[in-house]
């Protein structure tokens, strides 16, 4: 019986309790007059879990082709952790971008801000040391975010335009600071600190157990709460089993690079914030209907500026990771990164009109993009074709989310 | 000219909602046919079927001898049935003439021929508009004329007008009436006129049809029915019942609850001074632009430009929505979908939103079970028709959505309710519920500041009425000692 109900909710079989199509309208039971509209089940499920399904599908296809071509690329925990590592910079920015989009705004300046932070950091790390230089560089990012937010909120200029200007302007500042030349740090202690920050690896099974445990808790809570969250609970439990299984299978020498862990932690923290706190609820409300939120006593301006601030800080953090990884930077670093970041959020089904979006899905979107790129490299498809296929994937994803138009977060 | 006749029109939506259960309708050429019904009665569904926006599940439509069947709005247009929607779909960046000939596919963008054609049509209906004026600069009434002219140019025989006067001022309404009469009596067209206002239905139409719960409950020559008969057909309940009850339990109000001193906002609101007693309903009567909404927003602290002093129960109230809420005030704004509700969120989330912190663990973690309890209690108390507290507000009818907009404030038992047009655009049934709720709120010791453009409604529920004109309070009347006639005269400055 329990399984039957689950299947009903997931939409595998038609509900057994309601007979026929609901033509029985009792004159006295007026409640029936307002019956709930439902999407077709398949489309609904696709919209709800599509990006996860797509991610799994692409992973399997890429693996299958690679193995067929004799280029061994088994789906090991080590390989997966590598994908998470490659997606970490885009992913961290995509999480914050999702928050900006939820508040009904837009941030094009993340690539430039990341590069600017990298430059400021590299210029000062030799004299100030890692910690102070990082704080200084992140303060620059915070300042940029506040300027974006203040211009948008107090002057009422569209976020698209403000951040487009910032994209160009910040890149200009980089050129002034570097005089068009690339930069690197030669200070030995600074290089060591940068490596400690970026290149250190952690034991993989511990990380996997943590993630799996989190999934399991969410899944059980979802099952316990019942109704609509039950489907999510089932998916979370499936995820927990897979992740936990990989934890057991991963060898004792498998490790995860730090940026992947930063990405995971940031995702989880923002997800918890958005899902379970009043702060998160108000953030959605501000994007969904700013005036209604204002009349309900919410500090709309503050929430919207917070979005920009978080986005710039996340971009700054990504910039630190970038320069720490390479030990150097150049004026054109991370140019165009904002496009991959926005694409990730769109793949995750975030609405460009505000009020809806999920950071978990945006994270999956970032992973999906990296997996695709990996696949292309593996198949020797060359950069010429990558753009075409990525473009198609993004538009198809947006089409799936839009067709039928039933928007619900 | 042919008679339009509908027979046994049914509509069942894919989700199982039965909107129409077999509607018959006969529209004679050269007449105005009034179509009425409460929100959710099936009126809009019928209009959508007529316009081709959706297809009927059963029944037949005939124009004269011709059987009508259309799959898209263009088919309906071609057959000569034009629908003029309440929210007029015009391209506001284009000129009048560009809009009128928007569907033209051949020829140049502008030709003398088109201009002449437009001039002829405007002469016929006796209404003139500058063909080169940008539609975005026109008033709502003028835009409506643009869509009427467009329909005529495209050769419409039958016009379906969905609440054409709902958002118009008095003068523009008269223009609509004149054009409608011209179209029917002189041009011989037929007009289906949908409206919530009984007086204009009685004055304008030749036939009248009332729909309730998807069936026709009344169809008659207008000359043979009166407003009571129509109102009873729509709901059976009437506002008078509340008014009578109110008069019997004549108000005994307490001490001063809200005190407003020198509250002003730029040029839109001159310094205002007034008090509201405990248990009192104070009405604000005035026409659009009289400063009536501005007063509410200023009192609530939602107008950053407002200056002045507001005290509630002798305690000064800070000048922000949050401070006003903390002091025990609640504002239900005029436009529920753009100011009051999160349309894409559930009923439950909307109701719990203003006081979410008090329903949360350590004020930051919302507790779903408590939210749901509160929402379900409000759904019961306000008789909100929804399939569950998890339904999206966008799925509710206008009247029920408005009840949600009020419920989200009542849940926290405020001391003072500020209501801005709480019954605009909703059916008489929901209206009666909301008015009864206002009285009940006041009877339990709450104070209410009520804005309404329907003076009849103010007279029914208020204890005292302030009349506003051009941002000034121009008169104060005891509700039981004044009349609708006097209020109109005071508000219009006649």
């Amino acid at each position: 019986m329990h399984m039957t109900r689950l299947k009903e909710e997931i939409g595998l079989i038609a509900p057994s309790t309601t007979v026929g199509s609901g033509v029985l309208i009792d004159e006295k039971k007026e409640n029936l007059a307002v019956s709930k509209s439902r999407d077709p089940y398949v489309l609904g499920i696709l919209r709800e879990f599509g990006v996860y399904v797509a991610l799994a599908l692409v992973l399997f296809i890429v693996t299958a082709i690679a193995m067929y071509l004799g280029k061994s690329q088994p789906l090991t925990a080590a390989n997966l952790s590598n994908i998470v590592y490659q997606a970490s910079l885009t992913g961290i920015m995509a999480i914050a971008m999702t928050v900006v989009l939820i508040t009904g705004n837009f941030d094009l300046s993340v690539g430039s801000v990341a590069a600017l932070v990298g430059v400021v950091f590299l210029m000062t790390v030799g004299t100030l040391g890692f910690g102070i230089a990082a704080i200084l560089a992140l303060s620059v990012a915070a300042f940029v975010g506040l300027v974006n937010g203040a211009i948008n909120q107090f002057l009422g200029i569209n976020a698209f335009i403000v951040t487009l200007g910032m994209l160009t302007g910040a890149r200009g500042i980089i050129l002034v600071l570097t005089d068009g030349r690339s930069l690197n740090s030669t200070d030995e202690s600074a290089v060591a600190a940068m490596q400690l920050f970026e290149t250190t690896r952690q034991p993989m099974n511990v990380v996997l157990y943590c993630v799996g445990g989190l999934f399991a808790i969410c899944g059980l809570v979802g099952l316990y709460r019942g109704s609509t969250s039950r489907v999510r609970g089932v998916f979370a439990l499936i995820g927990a089993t897979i992740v936990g299984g990989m934890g057991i299978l991963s060898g004792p020498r498998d490790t995860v690079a730090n940026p992947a862990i930063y990405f995971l932690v940031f995702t989880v923290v923002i997800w918890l914030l958005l899902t379970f706190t009043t702060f998160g609820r108000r953030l959605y409300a501000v994007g969904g209907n700013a005036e209604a939120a204002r009349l309900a006593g919410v500090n709309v301006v503050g929430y919207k500026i917070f979005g920009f601030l978080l986005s710039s800080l996340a971009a700054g953090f990504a910039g630190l990771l970038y320069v720490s990884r390479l030990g150097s930077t150049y004026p054109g670093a991370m140019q165009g990164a904002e496009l991959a970041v926005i694409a990730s959020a769109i793949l995750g089904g975030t609405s460009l009109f505000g009020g809806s979006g999920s950071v978990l899905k945006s994270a999956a979107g970032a992973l999906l993009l990296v997996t695709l790129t990996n696949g292309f490299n593996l198949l020797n498809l060359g950069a010429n074709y990558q753009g075409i296929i990525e473009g198609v994937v993004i538009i198809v994803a947006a089409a799936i989310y839009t067709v039928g138009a039933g928007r619900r977060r | 000219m042919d008679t339009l006749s509908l027979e046994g029109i049914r509509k069942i939506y894919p989700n199982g909602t039965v909107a129409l259960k077999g509607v018959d309708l006969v529209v004679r050429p050269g007449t105005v046919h009034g179509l009425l019904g409460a929100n959710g009665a099936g009126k809009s569904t019928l209009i959508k079927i007529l316009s081709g926006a959706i297809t009927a599940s059963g029944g037949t439509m005939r124009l004269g001898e011709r059987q009508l069947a259309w799959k898209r709005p263009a088919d309906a247009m071609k057959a000569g049935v034009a629908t003029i929607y309440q929210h007029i779909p015009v391209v506001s960046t284009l000129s009048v003439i560009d809009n009128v000939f928007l569907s033209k596919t051949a020829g140049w963008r502008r030709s003398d021929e088109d201009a002449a054609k437009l001039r002829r049509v405007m002469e016929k209906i006796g209404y003139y508009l500058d063909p080169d004026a940008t539609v975005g600069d026109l008033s709502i009434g003028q835009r409506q004329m643009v869509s009427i002219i467009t329909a005529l140019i495209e050769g419409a025989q039958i016009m379906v007008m969905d609440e054409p006067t709902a958002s118009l001022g008095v003068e523009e309404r008269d223009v609509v009436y004149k054009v409608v009469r011209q179209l029917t009596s002189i041009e011989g067209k037929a007009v289906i006129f949908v409206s919530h206002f009984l007086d204009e239905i009685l004055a304008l139409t030749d036939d009248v049809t009332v729909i309730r719960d998807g069936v026709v409950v009344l169809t008659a020559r207008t000359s043979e029915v009166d407003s009571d008969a129509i109102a009873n057909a729509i709901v059976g309940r009437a506002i008078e019942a509340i008014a009578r009850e109110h008069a019997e339990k004549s108000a005994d109000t307490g001490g001063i609850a809200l005190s407003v001193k020198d509250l002003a906002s730029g040029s839109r609101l001159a310094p205002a001074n007034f008090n509201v007693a405990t248990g009192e309903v104070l009405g604000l009567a005035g026409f659009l632009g009289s400063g009536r909404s501005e007063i509410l927003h200023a009192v609530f602290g939602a107008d950053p430009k407002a200056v002045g002093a507001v005290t509630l129960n002798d305690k000064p109230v800070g000048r922000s929505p949050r401070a006003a809420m903390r002091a025990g005030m609640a504002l239900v704004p005029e436009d529920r979908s753009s100011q009051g509700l999160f349309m894409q969120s559930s009923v439950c989330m909307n109701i719990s939103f203003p006081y979410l912190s008090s329903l949360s663990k350590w004020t930051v973690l919302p507790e779903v079970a408590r939210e749901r309890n509160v929402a379900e209690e409000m759904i019961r108390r306000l008789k909100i028709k929804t399939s569950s507290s998890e339904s999206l507000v966008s799925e509710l009818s206008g009247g029920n959505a408005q009840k949600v907009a009020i419920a989200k404030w009542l849940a926290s038992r405020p001391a003072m309710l500020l209501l801005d047009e709480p019954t605009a655009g909703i059916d008489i049934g929901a209206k009666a519920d909301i008015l009864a709720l206002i009285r009940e709120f006041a009877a339990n010791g709450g104070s209410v500041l009520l804005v309404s453009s329907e003076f009849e409604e103010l007279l029914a529920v208020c204890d005292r009425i302030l009349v506003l004109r051009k941002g000034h309070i121009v008169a104060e009347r005891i509700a039981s000692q004044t009349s609708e006639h006097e209020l109109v005269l005071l508000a219009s400055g006649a």
Side-chain angles (χ1 to χ4, degrees):
Chain A
M1 178 57 207
H2 190 62
M3 202 53 218
T4 323
R5 284 189 57 192
L6 279 184
K7 281 183 181 166
E8 270 178 30
E9 274 150 12
I10 302 177
L12 295 177
I13 52 176
S16 53
T17 41
T18 49
V19 186
S21 57
V23 189
L24 344 137
I25 279 210
D26 189 337
E27 295 286 338
K28 288 161 208 154
K29 274 196 179 172
E30 294 165 327
N31 277 347
L32 273 177
V34 192
S35 98
K36 201 169 158 183
S37 66
R38 279 253 169 106
D39 296 331
Y41 278 130
V42 180
L43 208 61
I45 292 284
L46 209 56
R47 200 173 291 130
E48 184 77 41
F49 303 105
V51 65
Y52 305 126
V53 176
L55 178 60
L57 216 64
V58 169
L59 270 175
F60 278 108
I61 291 172
V62 167
T63 310
I65 296 176
M67 289 172 90
Y68 174 76
L69 290 177
K71 296 172 185 169
S72 168
Q73 172 86 359
L75 265 182
T76 59
N79 273 332
L80 289 176
S81 91
N82 204 23
I83 289 176
V84 180
Y85 170 69
Q86 289 171 27
S88 53
L89 296 196
T90 307
I92 287 170
M93 290 190 276
I95 299 304
M97 181 68 72
T98 306
V99 174
V100 178
L101 289 170
I102 286 171
T103 64
N105 276 321
F106 204 86
D107 190 353
L108 277 172
S109 66
V110 288
S112 297
V113 171
L116 176 62
V117 165
V119 167
V120 171
F121 174 72
L122 274 188
M123 288 175 84
T124 54
V125 70
T127 49
L128 297 177
F130 182 89
I132 308 275
I135 289 170
L136 177 75
L138 286 177
S139 316
V140 170
F143 177 73
V144 171
L146 290 175
V147 168
N148 277 341
I151 295 177
N152 169 252
Q153 286 301 306
F154 296 121
L155 297 184
I157 297 172
N158 185 294
F160 194 92
I161 295 164
V162 174
T163 56
L164 182 65
M166 191 56 83
L167 175 150
T168 320
R171 192 61 71 178
I173 297 175
I174 293 169
L175 283 169
V176 169
L177 286 177
T178 61
D179 202 14
R181 284 189 284 265
S182 51
L183 262 184
N184 55 359
S185 178
T186 45
D187 186 86
E188 259 175 49
S189 66
V191 172
M194 273 152 48
Q195 277 177 354
L196 188 70
F197 173 61
E198 209 276 340
T199 322
T200 319
R201 304 179 74 88
Q202 311 296 335
M204 175 177 290
N205 44 11
V206 177
V207 176
L208 285 174
Y209 290 145
C210 288
V211 174
L214 195 76
F215 272 178
I217 292 170
C218 295
L220 291 175
V221 169
L223 283 187
Y224 171 75
R225 279 216 181 140
S227 79
T228 47
S229 50
R230 198 166 283 174
V231 188
R232 279 178 211 158
V234 171
F235 268 79
L237 283 182
I238 294 171
T241 318
I242 295 173
V243 174
M246 286 195 307
I248 295 167
L249 289 176
S250 68
R253 279 177 298 125
D254 286 335
T255 51
V256 184
N258 266 350
I261 296 169
Y262 300 144
F263 175 27
L264 284 176
V265 170
F266 187 54
T267 308
V268 169
V269 167
I270 298 294
W271 177 71
L272 289 172
L273 191 72
L274 289 185
T275 313
F276 295 108
T277 67
T278 53
F279 182 84
R281 181 86 64 87
R282 291 187 181 125
L283 211 60
Y284 280 105
V286 161
N289 188 342
E291 181 65 4
R294 189 178 80 92
L295 292 179
V298 175
N299 179 0
V300 174
V301 171
Y303 278 80
K304 293 209 170 196
I305 291 179
F306 169 80
F308 286 109
L309 178 63
L310 185 73
S311 174
S312 283
L313 278 176
F317 192 75
L320 288 185
L321 286 175
Y322 178 88
V323 294
S324 296
R325 187 177 294 180
L326 302 174
S328 67
T329 189
Y330 66 104
M334 302 194 85
Q335 208 148 31
E338 58 278 348
L339 298 182
V341 168
I342 292 165
S344 303
I346 289 173
L347 279 176
T350 314
S351 162
L352 290 181
F353 300 104
S356 75
S358 151
V359 289
L360 293 186
K361 289 179 188 168
S362 295
L367 292 175
L368 182 59
L369 279 181
V370 167
T371 314
L372 273 177
T373 315
N374 268 1
F376 297 140
N377 293 340
L378 206 69
L379 304 179
N380 272 334
L381 256 180
N384 298 351
Y385 291 94
Q386 289 187 16
I388 300 177
I389 297 184
E390 280 180 11
V392 168
V393 166
I394 291 164
I395 293 174
V396 166
I400 289 172
Y401 288 118
T402 313
V403 170
R407 289 204 306 273
R408 182 164 204 177
R409 62 166 188 263
Chain B
M1 301 289 165
D2 296 314
T3 304
L4 174 76
S5 51
L6 310 187
E7 244 172 71
I9 296 291
R10 284 179 292 114
K11 178 67 192 180
I12 301 167
Y13 283 103
N15 63 29
T17 308
V18 182
L20 295 176
K21 300 180 208 164
V23 167
D24 300 336
L25 186 70
V26 177
V27 183
R28 299 175 292 140
T31 62
V32 185
H33 196 115
L35 181 63
L36 295 105
N39 288 342
K43 216 171 38 187
S44 342
T45 304
L46 189 63
I47 294 168
K48 281 185 195 156
I49 289 173
L50 279 169
S51 72
I54 57 175
T55 50
S57 316
T60 55
M61 282 192 279
R62 275 202 304 275
L63 190 57
E65 294 306 306
R66 243 179 337 136
Q67 181 97 15
L68 299 176
W70 43 60
K71 294 208 164 53
R72 58 186 82 85
D75 297 345
M77 221 38 255
K78 217 176 285 168
V81 179
T83 306
I84 288 134
Y85 289 101
Q86 199 179 347
H87 303 287
I88 312 131
V90 286
V91 185
S92 55
T93 50
L94 290 180
S95 69
V96 169
I97 189 161
D98 281 333
N99 267 286
V100 167
F101 291 99
L102 206 57
S103 63
K104 194 174 101 164
T105 50
W108 299 100
R109 176 168 168 183
R110 279 172 196 206
S111 67
D112 295 340
E113 201 183 316
D114 288 347
K117 213 163 157 189
L118 176 61
R119 215 165 28 243
R120 273 200 303 282
V121 168
M122 291 202 286
E123 267 161 27
K124 253 191 222 167
I125 59 171
Y127 185 84
Y128 297 92
L129 272 173
D130 175 9
D132 293 319
T134 305
V135 167
D137 299 336
L138 302 182
S139 70
I140 298 174
Q142 288 170 319
R143 288 182 206 199
Q144 207 148 38
M145 286 303 153
V146 172
S147 56
I148 291 175
I149 291 167
T150 310
L152 289 174
I153 294 247
E154 292 182 3
Q157 297 303 312
I158 290 155
M159 293 212 199
V160 183
M161 303 176 78
D162 189 5
E163 299 196 37
T165 54
S167 39
L168 299 189
V170 180
E171 282 159 30
E172 290 189 321
R173 282 182 195 192
D174 287 336
V175 174
V176 172
Y177 300 151
K178 204 182 114 212
V179 169
V180 166
R181 287 201 191 94
Q182 190 95 3
L183 283 175
T184 49
S185 56
I186 296 173
E187 299 294 315
K189 317 259 181 203
V191 171
I192 298 176
F193 195 91
V194 180
S195 176
H196 276 309
F197 301 116
L198 298 187
D199 50 348
E200 69 182 21
I201 289 286
L202 288 173
L204 189 66
T205 63
D206 302 294
D207 300 306
V208 61
T209 295
V210 178
I211 300 181
R212 188 168 75 216
D213 294 335
V215 292
V216 172
V217 288
L218 172 79
T219 180
R221 292 285 139 84
T222 310
S223 51
E224 290 160 11
V225 290
D226 59 7
S227 59
D228 272 353
I230 298 176
N232 283 340
I234 296 172
V235 264
R237 264 176 301 172
I239 296 173
E240 287 93 74
I242 303 163
R244 225 173 295 130
E245 217 170 280
H246 170 39
E248 281 161 16
K249 290 190 223 149
S250 70
D252 46 335
T253 49
I256 291 171
L258 178 84
S259 163
V260 172
K261 282 199 179 63
D262 297 324
L263 190 65
S265 173
S267 60
R268 297 180 302 166
L269 182 62
N273 290 286
F274 60 90
N275 297 323
V276 185
T278 308
E280 184 185 35
V281 181
L282 177 66
L284 294 174
F287 294 119
L288 202 64
S290 61
R292 50 186 195 184
S293 301
E294 283 78 359
I295 284 201
L296 294 193
H297 283 258
V299 168
F300 194 61
D303 177 355
K305 286 194 215 80
V307 291
V310 175
T311 59
L312 186 61
N313 294 324
D314 295 331
K315 281 192 278 289
V317 179
R319 302 284 70 216
S320 78
R322 205 182 316 181
M325 283 166 66
R326 217 172 284 142
M329 280 195 216
L331 170 69
V332 179
E334 185 173 9
D335 185 337
R336 59 181 166 271
S337 61
S338 75
Q339 301 176 303
L341 294 170
F342 305 103
M343 299 304 281
Q344 291 302 325
S345 293
S346 67
V347 172
C348 178
M349 280 201 191
N350 268 284
I351 291 178
S352 66
F353 189 79
Y355 299 97
L356 191 58
S357 295
S358 66
L359 297 172
S360 303
K361 199 177 272 180
W362 310 309
T363 76
V364 290
L365 302 176
E367 290 182 78
V368 178
R370 281 169 71 193
E371 286 182 56
R372 199 175 295 152
N373 283 344
V374 170
E376 275 161 13
E377 191 208 320
M378 296 316 293
I379 288 171
R380 265 195 308 279
R381 239 178 84 195
L382 271 64
K383 298 185 217 119
I384 300 171
K385 283 186 205 167
T386 171
S387 52
S388 87
S389 62
E390 291 301 312
S391 299
L392 300 187
V393 177
S394 56
E395 291 166 0
L396 304 186
S397 71
N400 286 302
Q402 181 67 42
K403 286 183 185 175
V404 174
I406 298 177
K408 73 180 212 183
W409 291 110
L410 288 184
S412 69
R413 302 175 203 289
M416 171 98 217
L417 259 186
L418 311 169
L419 300 168
D420 198 351
E421 297 276 9
T423 62
I426 66 175
D427 67 80
I428 297 183
K431 201 177 272 192
D433 284 346
I434 288 175
L435 296 183
L437 192 80
I438 294 173
R439 279 318 317 172
E440 186 196 313
F441 179 80
N444 291 331
S447 308
V448 182
L449 197 51
L450 172 68
V451 162
S452 175
S453 43
E454 289 181 42
F455 295 164
E456 176 198 7
E457 202 173 283
L458 290 178
L459 292 169
V461 294
C462 293
D463 299 299
R464 214 155 40 99
I465 297 173
L466 300 178
V467 183
L468 286 156
R469 190 170 73 229
K470 291 179 184 163
H472 293 267
I473 296 176
V474 293
E476 179 185 337
R477 292 287 180 274
I478 305 291
S480 54
Q481 295 163 14
T482 183
S483 68
E484 206 176 333
H485 186 70
E486 188 189 14
L487 291 180
V488 171
L489 290 182
L490 287 168
S492 60

